Amino acid sequence: MPNPTIRATLYALTDRGLTREHNEDTFLVADLGTPYPMRASERIDHEVGPRGLMYLVADGMGGAAAGELASEMAAVTIHRHMVDVWGEDLDVSEGRFVRRLREAVETANGALHSYATEHADVRGMGTTATVAGVWGERLYLAQIGDSRGYLVRNGETRQLTRDQSLTQRLVEVGELTEEEAEQSARRNIILQALGPDPKVKVDMSWQALQRGDLLIICSDGLSSVVRKADIAQVATPTASVESICADLVALANERGGPDNITVVAVRFDGDGLPEVADDEPGYHEFLTTDEVPALALTAAIPAIPRPEPPPPPARRGSPTGVALLVLAVALGLVAVAMWLRAG
């Protein structure tokens, strides 16, 4: 009798949007049982093998050349680590897979930071990264910044990742509602990116899969203007992964296309997956045995303003003194609230 199989059908699409002069986003998808990633926008059908699959979206920052370089370096370094290190690992287990995924993101951060330190023309470059790895019946996500992973199941979209942003922290301490955070002028301020600092804390989460699940990974060029309900309307069970990506990109552009837009859509099926998974979709933190629950980030980590599209008549420059004061007060509130919670 043949072994149960898990199939993944995917498509990926990236678009410059209507405001940016360059596309600083990138995507990468890969069967980790082979050394070759897939970078083109084409439909691909995979079976999940013993080494698993990987899907990545990175959103670079720091200006055209620096942003494009940062996202590309991150994608290539993360993939290379998974192929070279995880691909040769003798311990083929869940814990080791997650560890290698986290290591890959940390390795990419070190590579970007070292390169930027040595090259003044790209100093300060950085990139977000949302990396999804499939191993067995589970999905594992490594998160830096505010690109996102979503799961569409039974007509409903749930966010699988946790933004590393100022507004997310204010939501967590009760200073903002999710609706207020989506409209906040500070939603472009992220607390972590790959490259600017020598070390990062990778946020790891997991999700059990069931037949028919649809994974969406995207940059904030989509999530900033397209809501979860919009994704569910587009990502119907009968829609192809190609049309889902194309329709989501078109919707973001209809709403102004304020940033680069990248979407990876993956539909899972096969008798290796249960018809109904044991857990509800959502953010589930993954802690390994060498970790303990802790508050994720504090105000000690510097905020990283993401570049905004140029408002007329001139592009926004450095934050004003008032803006910096507002940001400092907000970060202070986060620190105090977290200290009180810890106490």
Side-chain angles (χ1 to χ4, degrees):
M1 184 175 179
N3 292 327
T5 59
I6 301 173
R7 294 186 297 274
T9 301
L10 71 96
Y11 190 76
L13 188 62
T14 189
D15 187 85
R16 183 169 59 87
L18 302 181
T19 307
R20 303 292 191 190
E21 295 182 359
H22 303 273
N23 191 346
E24 299 176 46
D25 285 4
T26 196
F27 68 82
L28 183 149
V29 299
D31 178 346
L32 296 175
T34 74
Y36 307 109
M38 287 142 282
R39 311 298 302 275
S41 291
E42 58 180 304
R43 179 188 172 110
I44 300 171
D45 294 287
H46 279 148
E47 284 190 6
V48 179
R51 296 290 170 176
L53 307 175
M54 187 182 81
Y55 313 104
L56 176 152
V57 166
D59 177 358
M61 61 195 75
E68 291 174 22
L69 177 63
S71 60
E72 181 66 16
M73 278 185 67
V76 170
T77 304
I78 290 168
H79 174 254
R80 194 75 259 156
H81 186 90
M82 292 302 290
V83 169
D84 291 346
V85 180
W86 165 245
E88 299 297 324
D89 208 319
L90 298 179
D91 180 4
V92 185
S93 64
E94 174 195 52
R96 188 58 65 94
F97 179 74
V98 176
R99 177 179 174 181
R100 296 307 186 200
L101 200 61
R102 183 178 61 186
E103 282 178 358
V105 177
E106 293 170 341
T107 299
N109 180 72
L112 267 68
H113 184 73
S114 295
Y115 187 89
T117 300
E118 296 167 3
H119 297 80
D121 55 326
V122 295
R123 194 157 294 159
M125 73 176 186
T127 183
T128 70
T130 297
V131 189
V134 182
W135 192 77
E137 301 175 15
R138 279 191 173 191
L139 181 68
Y140 302 90
L141 297 108
Q143 176 75 8
I144 295 287
D146 64 350
S147 294
R148 288 183 177 179
Y150 296 102
L151 193 79
V152 184
R153 178 184 292 176
N154 299 327
E156 187 175 359
T157 304
R158 302 283 188 90
Q159 187 173 334
L160 303 181
T161 53
R162 179 172 58 186
D163 293 353
Q164 296 175 343
S165 66
L166 176 59
T167 53
Q168 176 62 30
R169 295 299 177 263
L170 293 175
V171 168
E172 290 172 2
V173 298
E175 295 295 325
L176 290 177
T177 66
E178 289 189 6
E179 293 73 20
E180 289 169 338
E182 288 180 350
Q183 302 301 322
S184 173
R186 295 172 290 177
R187 67 182 182 274
N188 67 316
I189 298 175
I190 59 175
L191 300 181
Q192 223 181 188
L194 295 180
D197 297 305
K199 291 186 178 181
V200 291
K201 178 175 174 57
V202 184
D203 191 50
M204 300 298 306
S205 57
W206 62 273
Q207 174 64 48
L209 294 170
Q210 70 180 42
R211 296 179 202 175
D213 277 348
L214 180 79
L215 171 68
I216 298 286
I217 306 176
C218 65
S219 60
D220 78 320
L222 182 82
S223 60
S224 63
V225 291
V226 176
R227 306 302 175 215
K228 290 185 288 187
D230 300 320
I231 294 174
Q233 281 192 317
V234 168
T236 63
T238 58
S240 68
V241 287
E242 300 98 316
S243 68
I244 290 169
C245 289
D247 290 349
L248 288 175
V249 168
L251 184 57
N253 278 326
E254 286 173 14
R255 295 179 179 177
D259 203 347
N260 307 145
I261 310 155
T262 301
V263 187
V264 177
V266 191
R267 180 169 280 127
F268 298 98
D269 214 331
D271 55 9
L273 290 176
E275 293 187 7
V276 179
D278 292 336
D279 67 297
E280 289 292 318
Y283 174 79
H284 307 294
E285 188 173 11
F286 189 100
L287 293 175
T288 57
T289 54
D290 60 336
E291 293 176 306
V292 294
L295 295 174
L297 294 169
T298 71
I301 298 176
I304 305 168
R306 297 175 57 88
E308 289 280 4
R315 186 183 181 89
R316 188 181 75 179
S318 300
T320 65
V322 173
L324 287 171
L325 178 60
V326 170
L327 178 58
V329 170
L331 288 172
L333 287 172
V334 175
V336 170
M338 287 183 173
W339 179 80
L340 290 173
R341 179 187 294 180

